[in-house]
Amino acid sequence: VPSAEIVAVGTELLLGQLVDTNTAFIAQALAGIGMDVHGTHTVGDNRERIAELVGGALERADGVITSGGLGPTVDDVTKEAVCDALGAGTRVDGEAIEAMEALFASAGRELRENNRKQAILPHGATVLKNAHGTAPGFVAWRADGKFVACVPGVPFEMKAMVAGQLLPLLERHFHLRETIVTHTLHTFGIAESEIDHRIADLFEQSDNPKIAVLAHRFTCDVKLNGKAQNREEAQALIAPMADEIRARLGAVIYGSDSETLAFVVLQLMRERGERLGVAESCTGGLVSAELTAVAGASDVFVGGVVAYDNDTKTRVLGVPPKRIAEFGAVSGEVASDMAQGARTNLGSDWAVSVTGVAGPSGGTSEKPVGLVYAAIVGPYGVTAHRLQLSGERAQVQQRATIHALGLLWRRLRAEPKGARET
Ligand code: ATP
Ligand code: MG
C-alpha cells in the first residue's frame, strides 16, 4: 500500500492562531482511496525548513502533500522549497496566466507581477487547476516515481482540488484498488457504555467493516469502516452490519452520516407541515444557529428569541413576573412558560426553550453551574426537562443546545402528527 506524509505550511499554525483543519481533511481523503498516512507535520513559512521537511518525508514515504503557501506574497515559499527539495527547475504555466488574467479582468483588477509568480511551477509538474482562486496547485514528480503534491491553504479551494483532481490522479498513478467507505450512525440519549454493551459481540466478530464507537458531546456515533475494491462493494459490506446495529439500538438512532439533530428535527417537522420557534436564555442563540446552519431551514424555522434578562422573558415571551419570582428564572416552570410564549408569540406549532446556569459564576447550592432546563411545547402540550451538565461555559452551552434539540426530536418521533385527539 503506498504511503504519504502530510505537511501543513503556515507560521500562523505554529503560533496557534489558526487550527489546522486541512491536514484532517487530506488524511481522510487519502484513507478513502486506500493510501496510508505515516506522518503529519506542521512548518512555518520558511523555505529551508519546508525543503528539509519535504525532503525527509520523501525518504520515508511514496509521496508528500503540502497545503498552504502558494499565494502571491513574499511569505508564500512552498513552491520554491519544493523545487529545492526535488532539485527541480521551474517553468511558467501559460494556461495558469490566462486563467488569472480572465479572473482579474472579470473582477476589474489588474494582474500584478506577484500574481504571475503563482503561475511558476516546478518543471515537469502536473497542474491542479484552482476553480475557486488564483493559485494553481500541482504535483511534482521525482525520477523514482515519488511525488510532492502542493495545494492551496484556503480550505474550500484545497478541498475542491483534492477531491476533484488530486485523488483521481493518485488512484491512477498508484493503481489503487482499495477504498474505505465510512458509514456513521448517530445516537442521542444513550451512554457509550450501553452502546458497547449492546453491540460488543459485533465489535469482536467483525473485522471488515470495522466498528468503532465515538462519544461526542451528548450524542454518540457508531462508525462502520468498510474496505473493498470499490465504493459499491464497501457499501455492500457495511449495509447488513448497519441493519443489525439499527435493529439493536433502534430508537436511539436519529440519523446517519452528515445528518445533524437540527437537520433531522427540521425534516420531521417539514414532513408534518409544522413550524418551529425558539426561546433561549443561557444558550444565547445557539439553538437558532444550529437550525439555521441547515440549508432550507426557513420553511420550518420561524425564528428565535434570546430572552436573557428576566424583563425580556416577560415583555417578549409573556412569562408572568410572579412565576419568575416564585420559581426562579432557571426552573422547569419558567422554561415551560418561555416555550409556550414563543409558540404563541411567534405563531409556530412547536417551540423549544432553554434556561440555565452556564457558569463559571452565578451558581448556588440549589442551582449549581450546569443546571439547565429545556422545555418543548407542541400540539399536545408542554414538557420540561431538568439537565445537569458538566464542563466549562462554552461546553455547557453547547451541550444544552444539543440536548434541547435531542429532546425535541424524541417528542417528534413519539408523537406522530394527528396521533392524539386534542
Ligand atoms: P493564498 O493564495 O490565499 O495566500 P495560500 O496557498 O498561500 O493561499 P496560505 O497563505 O498558507 O495559503 O493560507 C491562506 C489561508 O488559508 C490562511 O490564512 C488560513 O485561513 C487558511 N489555511 C491555511 N492553511 C490552513 C490549514 N492547514 N488549516 C486550515 N486553514 C488553513
Ligand atoms: Mg498565502
Side-chain angles (χ1 to χ4, degrees):
V1 180
S3 63
E5 296 195 11
I6 302 171
V7 176
V9 181
T11 303
E12 299 155 285
L13 297 166
L14 290 180
L15 291 172
Q17 293 165 349
L18 181 72
V19 176
D20 175 16
T21 53
N22 287 357
T23 297
F25 178 88
I26 295 168
Q28 281 188 27
L30 293 177
I33 59 167
M35 260 183 103
D36 283 343
V37 174
H38 283 169
T40 64
H41 315 271
T42 307
V43 64
D45 300 297
N46 178 290
R47 183 166 169 173
E48 275 163 34
R49 282 195 287 272
I50 298 170
E52 193 185 292
L53 193 55
V54 167
L58 273 183
E59 294 314 306
R60 298 182 291 266
D62 297 302
V64 182
I65 296 163
T66 75
S67 76
L70 292 184
T73 57
V74 273
D75 65 351
D76 294 314
V77 292
T78 303
K79 206 158 32 189
E80 290 83 347
V82 167
C83 286
D84 294 347
L86 292 170
T90 57
R91 69 176 178 93
V92 176
D93 187 68
E95 256 185 72
I97 294 268
E98 277 168 32
M100 269 189 273
E101 273 168 351
L103 196 76
F104 274 66
S106 73
R109 282 162 57 206
E110 206 183 314
L111 195 65
R112 292 189 190 286
E113 206 44 48
N114 56 5
N115 289 118
R116 289 177 188 277
K117 183 186 134 188
Q118 294 182 91
I120 299 173
L121 299 177
H123 205 83
T126 309
V127 183
L128 304 173
K129 291 202 172 70
N130 190 338
H132 303 286
T134 55
F138 60 87
V139 184
W141 305 97
R142 215 165 71 163
D144 60 0
K146 293 193 177 187
F147 73 93
V148 182
C150 298
V151 295
V154 181
F156 83 103
E157 296 178 19
M158 179 281 295
K159 287 181 189 175
M161 194 179 283
V162 168
Q165 298 173 71
L166 181 61
L167 296 184
L169 187 150
L170 293 177
E171 281 180 313
R172 281 195 305 274
H173 181 71
F174 289 107
H175 307 289
L176 295 173
R177 284 173 213 291
E178 272 204 337
T179 182
I180 297 175
V181 172
T182 303
H183 183 55
T184 307
L185 300 172
H186 305 292
T187 71
F188 171 78
I190 182 171
E192 192 182 4
S193 55
E194 176 62 20
I195 294 183
D196 198 71
H197 176 69
R198 292 199 211 169
I199 63 173
D201 57 314
L202 299 179
F203 261 130
E204 283 151 23
Q205 277 168 31
S206 180
D207 190 43
N208 190 14
K210 276 204 164 57
I211 306 172
V213 179
L214 219 92
H216 183 70
R217 293 196 257 168
F218 253 108
T219 62
C220 222
D221 292 342
V222 181
K223 281 191 180 294
L224 302 172
N225 287 308
K227 202 179 209 182
Q229 303 276 307
N230 56 51
R231 283 195 72 78
E232 290 67 38
E233 277 178 38
Q235 273 154 354
L237 282 171
I238 290 171
M241 189 58 77
D243 288 345
E244 177 65 28
I245 292 172
R246 278 180 188 279
R248 294 200 192 182
L249 300 181
V252 300
I253 295 176
Y254 67 80
S256 63
D257 298 326
S258 64
E259 294 170 352
T260 61
L261 268 169
F263 172 87
V264 172
V265 160
L266 290 168
Q267 194 180 38
L268 286 173
M269 240 179 246
R270 186 174 296 120
E271 284 165 13
R272 305 157 72 107
E274 293 171 340
R275 304 181 86 196
L276 172 65
V278 172
E280 300 181 68
S281 186
C282 68
T283 45
L286 285 178
V287 176
S288 296
E290 277 285 316
L291 291 162
T292 52
V294 180
S298 63
D299 59 349
V300 172
F301 177 57
V302 299
V305 175
V306 178
Y308 214 55
D309 192 77
N310 287 344
D311 197 40
T312 308
K313 293 183 179 74
T314 299
R315 282 170 192 256
V316 183
L317 297 170
V319 180
K322 66 175 198 309
R323 294 265 285 180
I324 298 176
E326 190 178 346
F327 300 105
V330 179
S331 62
E333 288 80 2
V334 169
S336 299
D337 289 357
M338 285 170 67
Q340 277 170 320
R343 181 173 186 249
T344 305
N345 294 353
L346 298 172
S348 55
D349 306 283
W350 292 83
V352 53
S353 73
V354 188
T355 175
V357 189
S361 59
T364 62
S365 58
E366 216 179 301
K367 299 200 169 166
V369 168
L371 178 67
V372 172
Y373 287 88
I376 314 291
V377 61
Y380 308 126
V382 64
T383 49
H385 310 260
R386 182 184 193 279
L387 315 167
Q388 181 60 55
L389 308 177
S390 59
E392 54 187 31
R393 184 175 176 84
Q395 282 177 312
V396 169
Q397 290 174 318
Q398 282 186 340
R399 291 185 162 142
T401 299
I402 294 301
H403 220 106
L405 290 169
L407 293 167
L408 174 57
W409 165 71
R410 261 196 207 154
R411 279 204 45 189
L412 282 167
R413 211 199 39 210
E415 298 170 22
K417 189 174 163 68
R420 237 196 285 173
E421 301 288 311
T422 37

